[in-house]
Amino acid sequence: MRSLLLPLALALAFGAATAASAQSPGKLNVSVAGVRNDNGSVRCGLSSSANCFREPGREMRGAVAPIKNGQATCVFNGVPAGKYAIAVFHAEHNETQMETGMFGKPKQGYGFSNNPSSTFGPPSFDSAAFTYNGGRSSFRCA
């Protein structure tokens, strides 16, 4: 995870899902690498619509992962096939919401699925969205 002003780069790596599990709820792993330090945790939010994306407490599912050696993995179980976007941040002091400074700049490392540009503000749901077909899949944030 990068510091104050630099967002995470996200690389998508989908696992193979069998035809039988393509429509069944599955397991989605979000691996986060490059976290600045091992303090606190990484918080991940899985959103299924633009109305809930980047809105604390409104995500479809949330996950918290401990950090070890600059890495963490958020796990979402029972995720049905659909269109989603993921937002992550380093909760260095175990805060539940991302803290911002002057002009809304995040104080923690953060990132989004698809690594959309966040130079002029946070990305839209559509720019971070991906299609999940069910089964087991993994995302890697570096």
Side-chain angles (χ1 to χ4, degrees):
M1 231 186 246
R2 302 210 177 143
S3 63
L4 182 62
L5 302 177
L6 301 175
L8 292 170
L10 298 177
L12 302 181
F14 288 106
T18 65
S21 67
Q23 296 301 317
S24 64
K27 182 176 182 179
L28 187 59
N29 293 324
V30 180
S31 299
V32 182
V35 180
R36 177 176 30 196
N37 58 51
D38 289 357
N39 297 341
S41 58
V42 168
R43 292 188 171 268
C44 301
L46 178 68
S47 299
S48 59
S49 73
N51 295 336
C52 301
F53 185 55
R54 301 181 341 265
E55 295 292 328
R58 296 194 60 205
E59 61 273 342
M60 179 184 146
R61 300 243 172 89
V64 180
I67 305 164
K68 184 173 182 181
N69 299 321
Q71 299 184 32
T73 301
C74 290
V75 178
F76 298 98
N77 288 304
V79 179
K83 184 177 178 181
Y84 299 100
I86 297 171
V88 303
F89 80 94
H90 180 192
E92 195 167 353
H93 304 288
N94 290 314
E95 54 272 34
T96 58
Q97 295 182 23
M98 180 179 277
E99 295 177 349
T100 56
M102 188 178 275
F103 304 113
K105 292 181 182 177
K107 292 183 176 183
Q108 300 103 331
Y110 64 96
F112 305 95
S113 45
N114 289 339
N115 195 29
S117 173
S118 59
T119 304
F120 299 106
S124 68
F125 175 81
D126 286 336
S127 66
F130 61 93
T131 300
Y132 172 62
N133 294 321
R136 288 182 172 259
S137 289
S138 298
F139 290 90
R140 186 177 189 294
C141 306

